[in-house]
Amino acid sequence: MIFRQMFEPVSGTYSYLLASRRGGEALIIDPVLEKVDRYLQLLQELELNLVKAADTHLHADHITGLGALRDRTHCITVMGEQSNVDVVSMRVADGDQLEIEGLALDVIYTPGHTDDSYSFLYGDRVFTGDTLLIRGTGRTDFQNGDPRAQYHSLFGRLLKLPDETLVYPAHDYKGDTVSTIREERAYNPRLQVKSANEYVDLMSNLNLTNPKMMDVAVPANTHQGLSQEQITRRGWAYSAEEAKALIGKPDIALIDLREKRERERHGKIPGALHLPYHDLQENISASGVLRTLTAAGKSLLFYCAFGERSAMAVQAAQDAGINAARHIEGGINAWKETGGSLDSGSGSPAHALLLA
Ligand SMILES: [Fe+2]
């Protein structure tokens, strides 16, 4: 396994790079905008293909690298379903898994620092964001923070992990890099409380000043979504309302780019083929299934969760010379808002349509 902890000194942020092997797929957790060039260099040096970039929560002290990494690598951006951001490619919830080739991280909802705070557990280590810091915990006095919720996230979730679990936080301001659940339970001064009420009192009397970057970082981090306007201006997008009239037409191949878990959780548009974004390059290659579909006279209509992956897919297909490629702007989220029908099944395999 490849594992790197990377540091951004201005905000004291740790970002983490994970991959199962050299030459394989990579995930970055909590990237910082100023460090994006460094991440890209390291990815290249390790021959890694960045496929996902996730933030543990909406950060107030630095600008996230999510949007820049997506623009430069076409990776999938991931945040929790509570995050108040315009668009990310994929949203996760408690109990989900964050997957790349060879690695699956358990998604644990740990609200309190913010209402969109998540931790990610992988084997012997947990990425705790700002929920659990080394000898500290994330403040709870803004961004819908809630000390009582944080108490339950800490005592009810994170401290229930095995003692030897390594704790990798999103920040440290003292130079520590890693801890364990056992150490934090014993020595973290914030965790020496007897009750939720005591923790609430402690957190409510910290009287902290706001982070220096807050006025810049929060608005910037709220708007990291891929602008789908350019795709629309080129005539490569249908609104969800327009798409309704196209579904079921024999010359339209509706392609669902989401992952299996997303389809199971949120349903799918009837008649869609399931071809995850992950396999897009292969599917638009000369021998790929999407190439075969277009050769058979089908027009491709991509959709995903919010339109971000599908917009990137339209661009990639067009770049590869597949002109009959469009997407549903705003994804299944927009589709649902217009009252579009849903199918809870798991989708037809691509060959079924080819044989039809
Ligand atoms: Fe934070």
Side-chain angles (χ1 to χ4, degrees), residues 72-122:
R72 293 173 69 178
T73 69
H74 301 140
C75 69
I76 295 176
T77 55
V78 184
M79 288 187 82
E81 61 182 15
Q82 295 82 359
S83 293
N84 184 22
V85 295
D86 55 350
V87 178
V88 284
S89 306
M90 181 186 289
R91 288 179 183 269
V92 291
D94 190 67
D96 280 347
Q97 289 205 310
L98 182 55
E99 290 176 312
I100 62 167
E101 173 206 1
L103 296 178
L105 284 70
D106 293 322
V107 175
I108 309 173
Y109 182 43
T110 48
H113 168 58
T114 61
D115 61 353
D116 71 332
S117 287
Y118 279 82
S119 299
F120 303 120
L121 176 69
Y122 177 71

Side-chain angles (χ1 to χ4, degrees), residues 242-291:
E242 289 168 334
K244 279 185 192 166
L246 299 171
I247 306 307
K249 287 202 169 177
D251 58 339
I252 297 284
L254 181 66
I255 315 291
D256 187 338
L257 295 166
R258 295 171 303 158
E259 296 183 4
K260 186 165 175 273
R261 223 171 244 272
E262 295 178 274
R263 286 181 295 130
E264 288 167 356
R265 188 185 285 270
H266 302 290
K268 68 180 191 73
I269 301 176
L273 305 176
H274 182 227
L275 296 172
Y277 178 77
H278 177 275
D279 301 327
L280 181 70
Q281 286 306 324
E282 189 187 320
N283 290 332
I284 60 175
S285 69
S287 57
V289 61
L290 292 176
R291 197 66 77 160

Side-chain angles (χ1 to χ4, degrees), residues 3-7 14-17 167-169 176-178:
F3 172 70
R4 295 298 162 89
Q5 182 179 40
M6 299 169 290
F7 187 58
Y14 286 125
S15 309
Y16 299 95
L17 173 70
V167 172
Y168 284 103
D176 290 316
T177 54
V178 61

Side-chain angles (χ1 to χ4, degrees), residues 51-213:
V51 296
K52 284 184 184 156
D55 269 352
T56 50
H57 63 288
L58 185 83
H59 296 284
D61 57 352
H62 67 269
I63 298 177
T64 175
L66 247 54
L69 285 169
R70 177 208 55 227
D71 292 345
R72 293 173 69 178
T73 69
H74 301 140
C75 69
I76 295 176
T77 55
V78 184
M79 288 187 82
E81 61 182 15
Q82 295 82 359
S83 293
N84 184 22
V85 295
D86 55 350
V87 178
V88 284
S89 306
M90 181 186 289
R91 288 179 183 269
V92 291
D94 190 67
D96 280 347
Q97 289 205 310
L98 182 55
E99 290 176 312
I100 62 167
E101 173 206 1
L103 296 178
L105 284 70
D106 293 322
V107 175
I108 309 173
Y109 182 43
T110 48
H113 168 58
T114 61
D115 61 353
D116 71 332
S117 287
Y118 279 82
S119 299
F120 303 120
L121 176 69
Y122 177 71
D124 64 351
R125 61 201 65 199
V126 62
F127 303 95
T128 54
D130 291 359
T131 302
L132 177 58
L133 304 173
I134 299 174
R135 310 300 190 260
T137 56
R139 61 192 298 173
T140 55
D141 56 338
F142 58 71
Q143 289 187 287
N144 301 322
D146 178 346
R148 192 168 299 275
Q150 192 174 49
Y151 176 88
H152 293 296
S153 296
L154 290 163
F155 286 86
R157 305 297 300 271
L158 296 177
L159 294 184
K160 293 266 166 71
L161 294 171
D163 278 357
E164 58 278 15
T165 307
L166 298 167
V167 172
Y168 284 103
H171 293 289
D172 193 86
Y173 311 102
K174 311 172 299 297
D176 290 316
T177 54
V178 61
S179 181
T180 64
I181 291 293
R182 183 202 310 271
E183 264 178 63
E184 292 312 309
R185 188 188 294 109
Y187 303 115
N188 189 321
R190 300 260 174 94
L191 303 182
Q192 309 311 310
V193 293
K194 299 277 179 294
S195 66
N197 286 343
E198 198 183 326
Y199 188 74
V200 171
D201 283 347
L202 173 69
M203 296 305 286
S204 304
N205 291 299
L206 295 176
N207 299 319
L208 301 167
T209 54
N210 283 344
K212 287 192 286 283
M213 283 278 284

